[in-house]
Each structure stands twice: as structure tokens, then as C-alpha cells.
């Protein structure tokens, strides 16, 4: 039977299975193949906090969502068009979100009475009418991979584990993806285990061939390359982009990079990536705890490194006191907070934006710190670079807020030309030009103090957590001096506004509704904007990058719109800051579910405002 | 990677290490002695002044950096070890001296203390042990003996004290020593030995707090009795002490005890334990003399061995990575992996 090829523009796929089924890996491979074709894409990994929850259980389901398109996209998609369910629990957990009439590819081998019971199915959904409104492809993947590997001398367990590659092969056929990058990847990943490469390659090919020959499949799809900006692209995750951004800042400033950190989900990958950069003489230090992570970085900053530390919410709480030390010693330091669901241990593997107040206010005393946020995985590179620029120019700690979604998510990214990135000039005191070194002497414009690094003759000085005398930096308990220093530190951070780029409003520059987002919520908001503008609605969008200080032109821009809608994954933290600062009453959209907004969430909220 | 060995361009003196800040410890505090000995020893260590960094945490002792005319960093409570770690990894050429106390390093900073020691980062730690919290005005500390009556423990403290040398040895310290504030010559020698050791040097300094814990170490410092209560350790020498040098340490099985040596007794020098700085078991036995009424308190170097040093290994890894992958090239790194061109 001849098969049909159909062109479509936009697909959202969700891979779902047991924690041990390799869904993240499968999703990553599909993403790579999709990126190479030139589709625009956005991903959302979604995995449980447990490494291996009980097999077959609802809590053990791990998923990976990928949205790809022939046009520019901003979010990982709302309701998947295609669901790959490797077991009953995966079907149960994700079924409700599947688009009506969508496609479900099922590994029937796992639909055993035991697994059905674990997934809380009373009857087998493959046999009742649960799936009647969907296009279902039931495939006994476990049996098929057994066939293709039967002449190989490997364990049945190993064979069973190749079923994710079979599923991937089916999807490669269905969406016309090239398989060579995956095969190359298998060869590199399992270089020392050729039998694993062979078994997985066979399973992958078998899946592809199954799609092209089995009668149940009648149609496959082509999604053309998107018209993206010209350039050399790679697919990049947020945490990798953050690592590259820090490294680029080190290279551009001529400083060695020191990264002190304690493993914490979802920030740990930054430590992993930077540890690979030893040939750049990057010094990563896995500290004994969060406090040692940040204080070792403060020590490294004093000694002349570009110092950084990375963590997630609970870790930022532990670092709070030390951040005050970095504020009063006025040392350059980048703190990356890959936000996750809180409070306390909360939802370790899920995303949230509820650390904004913690980042801006979470210290004793008047301890202002600039706060920058990243809007997408690739943007983490620029946000990290900019954080380091400001830290070095103003001699201050800077907090970079990303989150689990942008940190683990990925997108195609134009690789920047290193030569076009700005040079960073650390604010070193230069001995020998006749001036006396004053540890707390300041640049008149920026109010930044000058950096003098141990090992430099003649600049010996002492700094620390006690209040400083203006200029000399000697310990001072003088009341007026304290007031002066508190004011100077606040003014210095306020001055960062001079390095904050003006706001960019997408859509009409004035009108009915302005969606004001920050950080990763930009994705869903921009996707909503696209749809709303198509419907002819008067709506615009502005995404904030710097939240402390806020851009100088923000107040004036807010005044040009009748209604301001602030969607954020917390209970209204930015809204409260905006309300206090500009004395306006914004509308809030707050959904704190441990996942990014759906585009439809935002569209519905705007529709309500416009009426 | 080779270190940049720098030497001072002129002979340094004590004055070079004295800052313009008024020292604000209580009159008669043992801290004055430590400051004086450090300022006496440092000029002769062959290190340029600009390469010294004094790092401290919080507490009376931690004001130390302000009184030294070197680079200095006064950190936050308990974190001096972690701050110093970052400094040393950032610039291994620096000679870093952590000044800390029993509260700072054994209570709030206990975690950093043990991890510094096991990593064996080449820094020196001077732990001022006065067995009391001074700066918060007299609460018991983690080295105060059980039952210590203070303002926060009016009926006596309830927790067993830490034994600093035993704790350090348990954390794989490569250098453990003790000295006393009132023994300047001995302290100078111990400071020198700390400096000479490659790896973390842990020097416990018994230090009298005149205000809140006066006399805590009187039995080791009062002229009349100190010789009977202090055992001065010397590598390769039998453990002899006493005003008339007529007492020694004999090991019966694995139990140390004091024996009288001399003409009338049954014991001779040959029956005594001989100190060996490289023997962890001996160091461990000696560390447990602490708090014992029936044994003298050892001072001197308990233990000193060469172990791999964290930052040496780190630099080696950087070098290996360069040899393996070539010196880092950012353009190449960013363009590695699967890439594609959009025209």
C-alpha cells in the first residue's frame, strides 16, 4: 500500500515512560535530529525527583516534550499532538493533556495486568473505548526488538532496553528525520561496548522500517525547515549555555574562572559542564556544602578570579549570609539560581519563578544585589555573560535567575562570534601611577571600588564583613559613615541601570493590554502574543531581563497601556515590585504548578481583560 | 604547572607586618602573644610580604587580619576555611594563614574544618583555643569540658567536648601540632613548622581568656607546675617530662601511663615511648591525652606526613587536560558537536 506524505507546520510530541525507559535520552536524540533539519524547536524535560521510582508506578513516569515547527516558536507547546506511551502509567499521567484526535504510540508489551493495576486502570484501555477519539498505534516493541537481536549474544535485559530506540525509529519515519546523528551518537557514547551500539542501531532501524512497512501506518509527515536568522546553529540547553557564558566572560576578561558549587537539582549540570573545561584552566570546586560553595567563590574573587557559584532556591537560602559578605566587601561574583518549586525541598525537578523576592531581598541589612533573568535556554549564555560584565564593572555580586525549564530545556541557538563579544575590563587598581590605593575609593560615575589582588606589591589591605570607613576601608562604627556607606552601596547598584538596555516592546507601542513577563515566562507570553495578534487583539509584550535595577524607561512604557498583565510562576512577586515602584495596579496571572505556563493560560487571561 | 617562586626583595622586619590599626583585644589577652610571634616569624620565612594573606572568621581571634599589614580577609562566622580554600585554588602561590577559634572552626564552621583537612589544601591554620566564647561574653564552647558553668549553662554544660587534635587526625590531617600562648619560643617554632609543611597545617594554640575563662590552662603555664603537666614532643626522642625530667610515658599494651624514671625506680628511659611524628597511631594516642587528669598535655608536632595536596592535583589535571585536548579554544568549543548553517 502506498503511503502518503503530508506537509504540516507545527508538531508537539511527548515521550513518556518509566524512569528507566530512557525517555530523556530519546527526547534528546529526537531533538538533535530535528535541530539539524532546521526546524525551530523548544523542549521541556519533565522527570520525577526519584532516580528510579517503583517500576510501572504513576510517580515514576518521566516525560520529555518537544515542540518543533517550520516557523519561529517560543514555547514547548501546550497539548501534545503525539504521545509515546511506553507503559500504562505513562498513558494515564499524560492522556488528559493530549490534543483531541491526537496520535498515541503505545508499547503494548508493558500493558500487563500488573502494570495496569499500578497505573490504576480497572480495565485495559487498549481494549475498552478510552482511546476511541484518538489515532492509536499499538506496537509490541519488546517482542520486535527481541526478533531483531535474536542472533546476538546479549542479555534479554539489554535487548529490552533498546525499545526506546525502536520507538525513536518509528518517530523518525513518521516525521522524516535523519538517523545518522543518532547512530553516530550511539557509536561515541558506547565506544567501548560495540554490542550495545549494534543492538540499539538494529532497534532504531527496525522501528524506522516498521513505520515504513507496517500496514497500520498510512501517512508520514514533513515539517519544513523554519526561516531562522542566518548563522551557524547548534542546539543548546540553558545550563550548558550558562556554563559557556561564564567561560566566555572569563576569556573576554582575561581572568581565570573559578566555580564553587554543591550539587543541587536542577543546577548541577553547570558544575558538570564546567568541570569539562579544565583545558581552559577552569577551576571547579565541588564544595562540602552550599555555604562553602559561595564562600570559596568569594575567596577566589578576592584572589583575582572571575568567581561564580551555582545553586537552586534552597541553596540560595543557605548562601544568604555570604552574599551579604560579598556585598560589603564589594567583590565581583556571579550567583546562578536555577529556580525550582519551593518552599523547602518542594518540587526539586520542576520549574518555578518564586525566588525573585529571595534574590532581591533575601539578606540581612541593606544588601542590594543586581538581579538578571534569562528568557530562554540560549539566552542563558548572554545573561551569564552580562551578569559577569556587571559584576566586574561594578565590583558586586550579581544574581542570575534561570529556572528548571530553561536550564534543562533546549532550543536552536546561533553560535555567537567570539570576536564580536565585548571585551571585559576588570576594575583593577594599577600600581605605579602615583595614586594611593584606597580599598574603598570609588569611581565617580559608577561608584565602583577598585580591585587589588593579593600578590601585588604595595597594595596590601584588609577587607571583611565589618562596616568600612568610606575610602580607607578601615573598620568603622561611626553612625554617619554607616549611613553614608549604606547609601553608597544602594546608589552603586542603582547605577547599574546605565548598563541596562532599554525595554523592547513587541507589538504596538501603546494600547489596551501589555503582557509584562520576566525570565522564562517570555516563551509562553510570546507564543500567546503571536496568536492574539493574528486574532487582531490590541496586545503587546515586554519581557524583563534586569529586575534589579529595573530599566529606566519601564515606568513611562507602562503608562502607555490601559492594562498591564503580569504572568509569573509565583503568587505575584514581580507584580508587587511593579505596584510598589510605579504606583499602578497590574493584573496578575499566577499559576504555580511546577511547570511553564501554557500559551492558552495566557491567551485566556488576556481575553478576559479585553472582554 | 610550575609555581612562580618569588622571594622578598629586601629583608623584612616585624614592623613590615604591623598595621596602623589599634589592637583592641582585652589587656592581657593571650591573642597578643600570638600576634607578636606571627609578626616575628613571618619576616624570616622567605616569602614576599604581598604573598601573605590572613583569613579569619568571627570571634575575638578573627580580628587578627586587621592588625597585620598584609593582605587580609575577615570573613563570616565559621567560613574562613572555605574562603581560604577558594583563595588558594585561585592563586596557589599565596601563603595563606587562617586565624580562627574553637567556636569558629569547631562549632559553626565544623564542616569546613574537617573538609579542609581531608583535602589537604596547602594553608596554615592557627586555631586559638580558649575553651570559651569570648566575643559573645562567656558561653561554653565545643572545647569546654563537660559540666562547664557559664551564663548559658548555669547548671553546667551537657555536651562532651571536642578534642581538636583527635578530630583533626580523624579528618586525615597531614600536620597536627599544639602550642601555648605563654611559650613564645615554642610557638615561633610551631609557626615555622606549620609554614614548612606542604599541605594543611593545623596548629592548636592554647590561649587564655582573661575575662571569661581565666586560668583554664594555668596548670600548663604556671612556672611551679607546668613542667609536671606538659609533655614537650620531640621527634625521635623518648617522652620525658617533669620539673626534674624524671617522668615519662610508658605504653602498656595500648594504654599510655606515666612512670617515674630515675635511680630508684624500676623504669628507665628505654621503657619510654619514643615520639615519631610520622606515626598516626602514636599521634592518635597523644591526642587522647587531652582532658585526661592522669596524663600530661602534649605540645609540639603530633603528626606530620606528606600527603597529596588538593591544588597540586588540580593544577595537574588542568595540565593533563591541556595536553589531552589542547589549550582551550572558545571558538572551537562553541562550534563543537552537531551544528548546521542557515543561509
Amino acid at each position: 500500500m502506498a503511503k502518503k506524505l503530508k506537509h504540516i507546520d507545527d508538531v508537539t510530541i511527548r515521550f513518556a515512560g518509566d524512569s528507566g525507559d530512557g525517555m530523556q535520552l530519546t527526547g534528546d536524540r529526537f531533538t538533535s535530529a530535528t535541530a539539524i533539519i532546521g526546524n525551530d524547536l523548544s523542549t521541556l524535560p519533565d522527570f520525577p525527583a526519584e532516580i528510579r521510582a517503583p517500576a510501572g508506578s504513576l510517580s515514576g513516569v518521566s516525560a520529555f516534550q518537544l515542540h518543533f515547527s517550520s516557523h519561529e516558536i517560543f514555547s514547548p507547546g501546550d497539548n501534545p499532538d503525539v504521545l509515546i506511551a511506553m507503559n500504562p502509567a505513562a498513558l494515564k499521567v499524560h492522556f488528559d493533556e493530549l490534543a483531541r484526535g491526537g496520535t498515541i504510540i503505545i508499547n503494548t508489551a508493558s500493558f500487563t495486568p500488573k502494570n495496569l493495576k499500578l497505573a490504576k486502570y480497572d480495565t485495559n484501555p487498549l481494549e475498552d473505548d478510552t482511546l476511541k477519539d484518538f489515532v492509536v498505534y499499538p506496537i509490541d516493541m519488546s517482542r520486535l526488538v527481541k526478533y531483531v537481536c535474536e542472533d546476538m549474544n546479549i542479555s534479554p535485559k539489554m535487548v529490552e532496553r533498546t525499545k526506546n530506540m525502536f520507538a525513536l525509529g518509528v518517530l523518525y519515519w513518521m516525521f522524516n528525520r535523519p538517523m545518522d546523528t543518532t547512530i553516530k551518537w550511539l557509536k561515541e557514547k558506547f565506544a567501548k561496548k560495540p554490542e550495545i551500539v549494534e543492538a540499539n542501531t538494529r532497534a532504531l532501524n527496525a522501528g524506522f522500517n516498521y513505520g515504513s512497512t507496517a500496514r497500520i501506518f498510512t501517512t508520514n509527515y514533513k515539517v519544513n525547515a523554519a526561516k531562522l536568522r542566518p548563522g551557524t546553529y547548534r542546539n543548546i540547553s540553558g545550563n550548558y549555555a550558562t556554563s559557556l557564558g561564564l567561560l566566555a566572560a572569563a576569556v573576554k576578561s582575561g581572568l581565570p574562572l573559578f566555580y564553587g558549587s554543591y550539587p543541587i537539582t536542577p543546577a548541577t549540570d553547570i558544575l558538570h559542564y564546567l568541570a569539562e573545561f579544565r583545558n581552559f584552566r577552569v577551576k571547579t570546586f565541588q564544595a562540602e556544602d552550599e555555604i562553602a560553595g559561595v564562600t570559596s567563590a568569594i575567596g577566589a574573587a578576592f584572589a583575582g578570579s572571575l568567581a561564580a557559584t551555582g545553586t537552586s532556591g534552597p541553596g540560595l537560602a543557605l548562601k544568604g549570609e555570604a552574599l551579604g559578605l560579598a556585598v560589603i566587601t564589594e567583590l565581583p561574583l556571579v550567583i546562578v539560581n536555577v529556580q525550582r518549586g519551593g518552599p523547602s525541598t518542594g518540587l526539586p525537578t520542576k520549574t518555578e519563578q518564586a525566588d525573585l523576592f529571595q534574590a532581591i531581598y533575601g539578606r540581612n541589612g541593606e544588601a542590594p544585589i543586581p538581579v538578571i533573568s534569562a528568557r530562554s535556554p540560549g539566552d542563558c549564555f548572554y545573561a551569564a555573560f552580562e551578569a559577569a560584565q556587571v559584576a566586574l564593572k561594578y565590583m558586586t555580586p550579581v544574581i542570575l535567575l534561570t529556572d528548571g525549564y530553561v536550564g534543562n530545556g533546549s532550543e536552536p541557538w546561533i553560535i555567537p562570534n567570539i570576536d564580536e563579544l565585548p571585551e571585559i575590563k576588570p576594575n583593577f587598581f594599577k600600581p605605579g601611577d602615583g595614586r594611593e590605593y584606597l580599598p574603598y575609593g570609588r569611581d565617580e560615575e559608577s561608584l565602583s571600588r577598585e580591585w587589588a589582588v593579593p600578590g601585588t606589591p604595595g597594595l596590601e589591605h584588609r577587607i571583611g564583613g565589618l562596616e568600612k570607613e568610606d575610602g580607607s576601608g578601615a573598620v568603622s562604627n561611626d553612625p554617619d559613615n554607616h549611613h553614608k556607606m549604606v547609601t553608597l552601596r544602594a546608589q552603586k547598584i542603582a547605577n547599574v541601570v546605565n548598563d541596562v538596555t532599554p525595554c523592547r516592546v513587541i507589538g504596538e507601542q501603546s494600547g489596551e493590554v501589555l503582557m509584562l513577563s520576566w525570565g522564562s515566562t517570555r516563551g509562553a507570553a510570546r507564543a500567546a502574543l503571536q496568536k492574539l495578534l493574528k486574532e487582531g487583539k490590541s496586545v503587546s509584550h515586554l519581557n524583563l531581563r534586569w529586575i534589579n535595577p529595573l530599566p529606566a524607561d519601564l515606568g513611562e512604557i507602562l503608562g502607555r497601556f490601559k492594562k498591564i498583565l503580569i504572568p509569573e510562576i509565583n503568587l505575584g512577586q514581580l507584580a508587587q515590585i511593579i505596584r510598589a515602584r510605579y504606583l499602578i495596579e497590574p493584573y496578575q496571572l499566577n499559576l504555580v504548578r511546577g511547570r511553564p505556563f501554557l500559551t492558552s493560560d495566557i491567551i485566556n487571561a488576556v481575553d478576559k481583560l479585553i472582554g | 604547572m610550575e609555581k612562580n617562586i618569588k622571594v622578598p626583595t629586601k629583608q623584612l622586619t616585624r614592623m613590615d607586618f604591623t598595621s596602623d590599626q589599634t589592637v583592641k583585644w582585652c589587656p592581657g589577652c593571650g591573642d597578643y602573644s600570638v600576634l607578636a610571634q606571627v609578626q616575628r616569624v613571618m619576616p624570616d620565612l622567605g616569602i614576599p610580604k604581598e604573598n601573605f594573606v590572613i583569613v579569619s572568621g568571627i570571634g575575638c581571634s578573627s580580628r587578627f587580619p586587621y592588625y597585620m599589614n598584609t593582605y587580609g580577609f575577615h570573613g563570616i562566622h565559621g567560613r574562613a576555611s572555605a574562603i581560604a580554600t577558594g583563595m588558594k585554588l585561585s592563586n596557589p602561590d599565596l601563603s595563606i594563614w587562617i586565624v580562627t577559634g574553637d567556636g569558629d572552626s569547631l562549632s559553626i564552621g565544623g564542616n569546613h574544618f574537617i573538609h579542609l583537612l581531608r583535602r589537604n589544601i596547602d594553608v596554615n591554620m592557627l586555631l586559638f583555643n580558649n575553651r570559651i566564647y569570648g566575643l559573645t561574653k562567656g558561653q561554653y564552647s565545643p572545647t569546654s569540658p563537660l559540666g562547664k558553668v557559664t551564663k548559658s549553662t548555669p547548671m553546667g554544660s551537657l555536651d562532651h567536648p571536642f578534642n581538636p587534635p583527635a578530630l583533626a587526625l580523624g579528618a586525615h590531617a597531614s600536620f597536627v601540632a599544639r602550642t601555648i600562648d605563654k611559650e613564645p619560643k615554642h610557638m615561633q617554632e610551631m609557626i615555622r613548622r606549620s609554614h614548612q609543611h606542604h599541605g594543611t597545617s593545623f596548629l592548636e594554640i592554647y590561649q587564655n581568656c582573661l575575662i571569661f575563662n581565666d586560668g583554664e590552662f594555668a596548670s600548663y603555664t604556671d612556672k611551679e607546675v607546668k613542667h609536671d603537666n606538659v609533655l614537650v614532643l620531640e621527634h625521635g626522642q623518648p617522652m620525658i617530662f617533669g620539673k626534674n625530667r624524671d617522668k615519662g610515658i610508658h605504653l602498656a599494651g595500648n594504654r599510655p601511663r606515666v612512670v617515674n624514671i630515675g635511680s630508684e625506680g624500676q623504669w628507665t628511659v628505654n621503657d619510654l615511648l619514643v615520639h615519631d611524628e610520622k606515626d598516626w597511631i602514636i599521634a592518635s594516642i597523644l591526642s587522647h591525652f587531652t582532658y585526661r587528669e592522669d596524663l600530661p598535655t602534649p605540645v609540639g608536632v603530633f603528626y606530620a606526613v606528606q600527603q597529596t595536596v588538593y591544588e597540586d592535583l588540580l593544577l595537574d589535571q588542568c595540565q593533563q587536560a591541556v595536553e589531552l585536548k589542547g589549550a582551550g579554544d572558545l571558538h572551537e568549543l562553541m562550534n563543537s558537536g552537531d551544528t548546521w548553517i542557515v543561509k
Side-chain angles (χ1 to χ4, degrees):
Chain A
M1 191 174 76
K3 303 213 173 190
K4 281 181 280 185
L5 179 71
K6 205 170 153 185
H7 282 266
I8 51 174
D9 282 341
D10 199 285
V11 183
T12 300
I13 296 181
R14 190 179 290 176
F15 299 87
D18 228 2
S19 297
D21 283 342
M23 290 298 97
Q24 301 304 320
L25 185 152
T26 313
D28 274 340
R29 290 303 97 212
F30 194 93
T31 302
S32 275
T34 297
I36 291 220
I37 284 185
N39 294 137
D40 198 7
L41 66 86
S42 172
T43 71
L44 176 64
D46 178 18
F47 41 85
E50 297 75 22
I51 301 302
R52 288 277 188 278
S57 66
L58 292 166
S59 62
V61 174
S62 176
F64 185 100
Q65 184 160 314
L66 167 72
H67 178 199
F68 60 102
S69 175
S70 61
H71 56 78
E72 192 181 13
I73 54 172
F74 301 98
S75 79
D78 284 9
N79 304 104
D81 307 300
V82 180
L83 173 69
I84 292 82
M86 298 301 282
N87 69 1
L91 182 66
K92 182 72 165 245
V93 170
H94 296 288
F95 178 69
D96 286 345
E97 290 180 0
L98 191 59
R100 207 104 192 116
T103 300
I104 309 175
I105 298 170
I106 285 175
N107 177 23
T108 56
S110 64
F111 279 63
T112 59
K114 185 189 167 202
N115 281 343
L116 288 165
K117 199 176 161 200
L118 281 169
K120 309 230 176 337
Y121 276 117
D122 295 329
T123 57
N124 188 343
L126 300 177
E127 291 161 7
D128 58 24
D129 59 0
T130 308
L131 309 177
K132 69 177 162 44
D133 295 329
F134 298 86
V135 180
V136 181
Y137 298 110
I139 309 173
D140 188 342
M141 300 184 195
S142 303
R143 191 170 56 97
L144 291 165
V145 294
K146 223 182 281 171
Y147 282 145
V148 296
C149 295
E150 68 184 348
D151 62 329
M152 289 185 68
N153 186 23
I154 55 171
S155 69
K157 202 174 159 190
M158 201 103 86
V159 174
E160 167 72 9
R161 288 177 67 180
T162 65
K163 64 182 187 291
N164 62 332
M165 285 295 127
F166 185 95
L168 187 60
V170 171
L171 283 161
Y172 279 171
W173 172 77
M174 189 178 261
F175 292 101
N176 267 287
R177 312 277 106 170
M179 297 204 290
D180 48 352
T181 57
T182 303
I183 294 166
K184 189 176 150 219
W185 178 85
L186 283 168
K187 281 182 183 153
E188 280 165 14
K189 171 102 179 163
F190 301 108
K192 287 181 186 150
K193 292 176 179 165
E195 72 281 4
I196 292 190
V197 177
E198 175 65 18
N200 280 288
T201 308
R202 285 188 188 193
L204 183 70
N205 284 320
F208 191 92
N209 295 336
Y210 186 84
S212 61
T213 55
R215 287 187 168 211
I216 52 169
F217 292 103
T218 56
T219 315
N220 67 345
Y221 303 92
K222 183 146 196 208
V223 180
N224 286 333
K227 286 189 190 66
L228 298 175
R229 276 193 297 146
T232 305
Y233 280 76
R234 67 181 291 168
N235 194 53
I236 199 161
S237 73
N239 282 339
Y240 191 65
T242 299
S243 311
L244 282 185
L246 292 173
L247 180 63
V251 169
K252 282 290 176 175
S253 60
L255 299 175
L257 178 61
F258 177 91
Y259 186 76
S261 184
Y262 185 75
I264 183 169
T265 304
T268 317
D269 279 341
I270 300 172
L271 176 62
H272 298 166
Y273 295 133
L274 289 172
E276 291 285 334
F277 301 160
R278 285 266 196 272
N279 61 327
F280 288 85
R281 302 201 180 277
V282 170
K283 289 168 184 163
T284 53
F285 173 61
Q286 182 176 318
E288 58 271 25
D289 58 27
E290 293 282 355
I291 297 168
V294 64
T295 47
S296 64
I298 290 171
F302 183 68
S305 286
L306 170 58
T309 182
T311 189
S312 188
L316 188 65
L318 283 164
K319 292 180 197 295
E321 187 200 9
L323 293 188
L325 178 66
V327 167
I328 200 166
T329 53
E330 303 194 36
L331 285 168
L333 175 69
V334 176
I335 305 98
V336 183
N337 177 9
V338 187
Q339 298 168 95
R340 68 189 215 186
S344 188
T345 309
L347 302 172
T349 59
K350 312 293 179 191
T351 200
E352 201 158 288
Q353 293 186 294
D355 292 345
L356 183 60
F357 280 169
Q358 186 182 207
I360 296 182
Y361 305 117
R363 291 162 293 283
N364 65 303
E366 294 287 351
I369 291 182
V371 177
I372 186 173
S373 63
R375 67 184 190 198
S376 72
D379 185 51
C380 289
F381 174 86
Y382 295 100
F385 189 87
E386 208 174 322
Q389 270 181 308
V390 166
L392 290 166
K393 175 172 176 183
Y394 289 89
M395 293 289 283
T396 177
V398 175
I399 293 177
L400 164 60
L401 290 178
T402 72
D403 57 41
Y405 158 49
V406 286
N408 286 324
S410 67
E411 64 178 358
W413 182 63
I414 296 191
I415 301 168
N417 182 346
I418 303 305
D419 300 333
E420 285 169 12
L421 289 174
E423 297 293 327
I424 302 176
K425 271 186 156 167
N427 198 21
F428 284 127
F429 178 84
K430 283 166 209 68
D433 68 354
R435 276 192 308 137
E436 182 197 359
Y437 177 60
L438 284 175
Y440 281 75
R442 289 175 195 281
D443 178 78
E444 277 180 19
E445 198 191 330
S446 68
L447 294 182
S448 176
R449 77 174 188 94
E450 285 170 305
W451 202 3
V453 169
T456 319
L459 303 187
E460 290 86 355
H461 66 285
R462 276 69 55 192
I463 60 174
L466 289 168
E467 182 60 288
K468 306 284 172 292
E469 184 182 74
D470 182 29
S472 74
V475 174
S476 168
N477 292 311
D478 180 76
D480 293 332
N481 176 74
H482 179 52
H483 181 77
K484 185 175 185 186
M485 293 301 278
V486 165
T487 314
L488 277 170
R489 285 188 290 261
Q491 187 56 50
K492 181 176 86 164
I493 302 312
N495 288 351
V496 172
V497 78
N498 297 322
D499 285 82
V500 172
T501 46
C503 295
R504 185 162 157 249
V505 177
I506 312 291
E508 293 295 328
Q509 298 302 300
S510 62
E512 194 73 18
V513 174
L514 177 72
M515 295 183 287
L516 178 66
S517 61
W518 68 275
S520 70
T521 296
R522 180 254 190 184
R526 272 301 290 279
L529 181 79
Q530 249 180 350
K531 291 200 173 164
L532 289 162
L533 288 180
K534 268 188 196 159
E535 292 168 14
K537 303 273 169 63
S538 171
V539 56
S540 305
H541 176 221
L542 169 57
N543 192 68
L544 285 177
R545 181 177 195 69
W546 286 97
I547 302 172
N548 190 34
L550 288 162
D553 56 350
L554 180 61
E556 186 267 320
I557 288 169
L558 296 177
R560 291 193 232 136
F561 292 87
K562 284 189 191 144
K563 293 172 179 172
I564 309 295
L565 173 69
I566 302 182
E568 48 184 334
I569 310 172
N570 59 46
L571 291 182
Q573 298 186 11
L574 177 64
Q576 186 164 321
I577 291 167
I578 295 294
R579 199 176 287 126
R581 172 77 181 268
Y582 300 106
L583 302 177
I584 60 166
E585 191 52 52
Y587 293 85
Q588 295 180 202
L589 174 60
N590 307 112
L591 288 168
V592 195
R593 303 173 297 194
R595 50 195 274 181
F597 279 103
L598 300 179
T599 306
S600 56
D601 297 328
I602 298 182
I603 291 174
N604 292 342
V606 173
D607 280 343
K608 261 188 211 155
L609 285 187
I610 293 181
Chain B
M1 202 169 84
E2 288 213 357
K3 287 194 180 184
N4 304 314
I5 308 295
K6 280 209 289 188
V7 292
T9 47
K10 59 163 189 160
Q11 176 57 49
L12 297 165
T13 67
R14 186 178 169 182
M15 283 312 292
D16 288 312
F17 289 85
T18 308
S19 85
D20 58 356
Q21 298 289 301
T22 313
V23 182
K24 288 180 185 164
W25 287 314
C26 308
C29 177
D31 291 3
Y32 282 94
S33 170
V34 189
L35 179 63
Q37 307 329 316
V38 168
Q39 288 171 336
R40 279 193 185 106
V41 172
M42 277 193 174
D44 295 328
L45 295 181
I47 292 177
K49 195 176 84 164
E50 65 270 19
N51 276 15
F52 285 105
V53 186
I54 316 288
V55 186
S56 66
I58 295 291
C60 293
S61 62
S62 289
R63 299 298 175 95
F64 202 97
Y66 296 114
Y67 308 140
M68 295 287 296
N69 190 18
T70 61
Y71 284 97
F73 197 96
H74 180 206
I76 45 177
H77 207 5
R79 318 304 169 201
S81 294
I83 293 167
T85 296
M87 278 179 199
K88 187 70 180 180
L89 301 191
S90 185
N91 183 357
D93 295 335
L94 300 175
S95 175
I96 296 177
W97 296 73
I98 297 165
V99 177
T100 183
D102 42 321
D104 196 44
S105 267
L106 302 179
S107 192
I108 192 168
N111 198 26
H112 311 305
F113 175 77
I114 54 175
H115 290 281
L116 174 76
L117 294 172
R118 87 180 162 87
R119 290 189 185 111
N120 202 30
I121 288 170
D122 186 19
V123 296
N124 311 287
M125 175 182 281
L126 309 179
L127 187 139
F128 295 32
N129 184 3
N130 57 12
R131 296 184 176 170
I132 200 79
Y133 280 52
L135 204 57
T136 50
K137 301 194 175 177
Q139 300 76 30
Y140 80 111
S141 94
T143 53
S144 301
L146 183 69
K148 180 80 177 173
V149 174
T150 69
K151 275 179 265 181
S152 63
T153 50
M155 295 172 72
S157 64
L158 303 173
D159 32 359
H160 294 277
F162 259 143
N163 174 344
L167 181 64
L169 287 165
H172 295 274
S174 61
F175 181 96
V176 177
R178 177 189 283 151
T179 189
I180 304 180
D181 57 359
K182 298 221 166 80
E183 301 288 345
K185 286 270 176 296
H186 186 263
M187 195 195 303
Q188 288 175 27
E189 178 56 20
M190 290 302 105
I191 292 170
R192 240 174 255 119
R193 286 290 308 270
S194 295
H195 165 70
Q196 285 159 4
H197 179 71
H198 186 53
T200 309
S201 318
F202 171 63
L203 176 58
E204 180 187 26
I205 303 172
Y206 279 169
Q207 172 254 322
N208 189 44
C209 174
L210 203 68
I211 308 296
F212 296 108
N213 206 20
D214 192 24
E216 177 69 21
F217 304 109
S219 57
Y220 315 138
T221 54
D222 283 358
K223 277 205 177 87
E224 296 306 310
V225 295
K226 69 177 186 182
H227 295 293
D228 289 329
N229 294 324
V230 173
L231 168 67
V232 182
L233 299 172
E234 284 175 77
H235 182 58
Q237 297 300 315
M239 297 180 190
I240 300 174
F241 68 105
K243 202 169 185 177
N244 304 316
R245 297 196 58 78
D246 56 357
K247 296 178 197 174
I249 303 298
H250 171 74
L251 202 58
N254 52 15
R255 286 205 198 108
R257 59 174 176 152
V258 174
V259 294
N260 286 306
I261 49 170
S263 49
E264 289 150 41
Q266 54 170 318
W267 303 97
T268 70
V269 170
N270 297 332
D271 296 312
L272 301 184
L273 189 56
V274 174
H275 186 44
D276 180 354
E277 290 173 1
K278 303 197 182 312
D279 188 326
W280 191 89
I281 302 292
I282 290 177
S284 178
I285 290 169
L286 287 168
S287 74
H288 287 98
F289 285 25
T290 312
Y291 301 113
R292 285 271 295 266
E293 298 274 317
D294 58 331
L295 293 168
T297 284
V299 300
V301 177
F302 288 53
Y303 190 58
V305 292
Q306 280 307 308
Q307 282 169 200
T308 56
V309 169
Y310 186 98
E311 67 270 22
D312 293 349
L313 299 176
L314 177 64
L315 293 180
D316 284 351
Q317 284 192 352
C318 290
Q319 191 57 39
Q320 280 170 31
V322 168
E323 283 161 17
L324 207 69
K325 302 184 193 172
D329 178 330
L330 186 56
H331 176 81
E332 196 182 294
L333 175 70
M334 288 173 68
N335 285 275
S336 63
D338 294 332
T339 63
W340 68 97
I341 292 169
V342 173
K343 286 182 184 160

